[in-house]
Amino acid sequence: MRAMRAEGFSGYKDLKLVDIPKPAVSDGRVLVRITAAGVTPLEHTILSGGYPRAKAPLVLGGEGAGVVEEGGGTAFPVGSRVMFTGPYGVSENGTYSEWLAVRKENLCLIPDNIEDLSAAGVPVAYLTAQMTLSLAGFAPGKTVLSPAIGGSVGNAVTQLAKAQGAKHAISTTTNHSKAQQARSLGFDEVIDLSVEKLSDGVRRITEGYGADIVIDAMGGEILSEALGTLSIGGSLTTLGYAAGRKTTIDVTDLIWKRASMKSFSLFSQPVEVWATAWSVIFPLLQSGAVKPIVAKTFPLAEAADALRYLVEGRPFGRVVLTI
């Protein structure tokens, strides 16, 4: 079968189209014919040598969508459309391939109204978003801030919070055209950082109250600024560092507001937390209350170009490989 494999971890040039054996089904695994694969910043980190746990050669890709061919049992009959994420593309071969043997517990059926292309970019972002909201104590009426509306997590958090009754579901962008695009798509609480400071925008939208919950996938100075927007008793969850791994915070943003700060890692969460998150996400996808946004697709053989576009082009929405 065809696969895009990293032969080393020194940049885009190490990603090669290869022919490797089709995986065999074993206990607890389901053979899935991959139709689309989500492209994430983690693949760029791995390909750049920034993830020491990964070992080359390695087929990249941590999430995807496809059709069950064998081993799904009654829960996932042959022909079922499924989406999934897991340790694929990190500790074992991933979704940049034509077939993959996927652990049954990682699978979720795709709602009939969602295309495979859209579903391929759902698992990592929406599971992360729903789990972090839940762990932060989200409830209807809360105010949520998740920076970077064009990014996967920022967009997913904003959609899920709004769909579940948030009083305010706030996001940001540093790009004026993205701010306009966001508003045209119905995101009406996006702070345009090219014309307004983050703290000023949150203060304006919430009439001085602040954010009960901040879910930050950016890091860097954005995290520091977002921390300052917390309301009394609020919490900030950090889970990414697209804007930088280091920042300086004002500890009084925590002390005076009796606020808290914590971290999150998707793949350290127990199975029951995954199941609970999917039970919320699936009906919201099915009803159209949340709608995955795909910015651009690339064929499998152009995976390096897809990663470059994601990292350097900073698109609004997901980048997906068609298999």
Side-chain angles (χ1 to χ4, degrees):
M1 68 172 186
R2 295 183 310 137
M4 287 300 290
R5 188 170 68 183
E7 302 300 309
F9 297 143
S10 58
Y12 299 120
K13 63 181 176 58
D14 283 339
L15 199 53
K16 308 290 186 181
L17 185 64
V18 296
D19 187 33
I20 60 176
K22 183 178 176 180
V25 175
S26 58
D27 288 345
R29 297 267 185 162
V30 179
L31 184 62
V32 177
R33 176 174 57 82
I34 306 298
T35 54
V39 178
T40 75
L42 178 58
E43 281 102 72
H44 180 265
T45 300
I46 292 171
L47 194 59
S48 303
Y51 202 88
R53 286 173 51 198
K55 305 299 179 186
L58 178 70
V59 177
L60 298 183
E63 65 178 351
V67 179
V68 172
E69 288 201 347
E70 186 182 348
T74 57
F76 303 101
V78 172
S80 299
R81 295 191 308 128
V82 291
M83 53 188 169
F84 63 92
T85 186
Y88 317 104
V90 180
S91 58
E92 60 185 270
N93 283 338
T95 58
Y96 289 13
S97 58
E98 293 182 302
W99 282 273
L100 194 65
V102 182
R103 293 171 180 80
K104 188 175 289 188
E105 64 266 25
N106 293 149
L107 295 173
C108 180
L109 294 171
I110 299 173
D112 291 341
N113 60 311
I114 302 294
E115 296 181 350
D116 289 13
L117 281 176
S118 296
V122 164
V124 170
Y126 285 83
L127 284 169
T128 296
Q130 183 57 38
M131 289 181 196
T132 51
L133 283 169
S134 179
L135 291 169
F138 176 80
K142 295 276 189 180
T143 289
V144 176
L145 166 66
S146 190
I149 191 63
S152 59
V153 173
N155 193 275
V157 170
T158 304
Q159 287 200 44
L160 285 168
K162 185 175 182 180
Q164 294 175 83
K167 182 175 182 179
H168 298 289
I170 305 168
S171 192
T172 69
T173 180
T174 57
N175 185 299
H176 184 63
S177 63
K178 281 187 181 179
Q180 293 177 310
Q181 184 180 0
R183 293 182 186 113
S184 73
L185 292 169
F187 301 103
D188 53 5
E189 294 184 320
V190 173
I191 300 166
D192 183 351
L193 298 178
S194 69
V195 298
E196 185 178 28
K197 289 177 61 177
L198 177 56
S199 57
D200 292 341
V202 172
R203 189 179 302 111
R204 170 179 55 79
I205 292 169
T206 67
E207 298 180 334
Y209 176 81
D212 296 305
I213 296 169
V214 174
I215 308 295
D216 176 57
M218 300 304 292
E221 287 305 307
I222 289 289
L223 183 151
S224 177
E225 293 171 20
L227 191 66
T229 71
L230 287 175
S231 62
I232 301 297
S235 71
L236 181 147
T237 301
T238 175
L239 55 92
Y241 38 84
R245 297 186 180 209
K246 296 183 179 181
T247 191
T248 301
I249 67 169
D250 183 339
V251 294
T252 62
D253 288 332
L254 295 170
I255 297 168
W256 293 349
K257 296 176 182 177
R258 303 186 299 281
S260 62
M261 185 175 175
K262 52 193 169 185
S263 62
F264 175 83
S265 174
L266 175 61
F267 298 114
S268 67
Q269 304 305 309
V271 172
E272 57 270 23
V273 173
W274 284 57
T276 299
W278 274 131
S279 74
V280 174
I281 296 164
F282 186 92
L284 292 175
L285 288 169
Q286 196 172 40
S287 69
V290 299
K291 298 178 180 179
I293 298 170
V294 175
K296 192 171 182 178
T297 64
F298 291 79
L300 176 63
E302 296 177 15
D305 292 333
L307 272 171
R308 185 180 286 107
Y309 176 70
L310 174 69
V311 173
E312 299 175 15
R314 302 179 64 85
F316 192 117
R318 298 306 310 278
V319 177
V320 176
L321 296 179
T322 56
I323 313 296

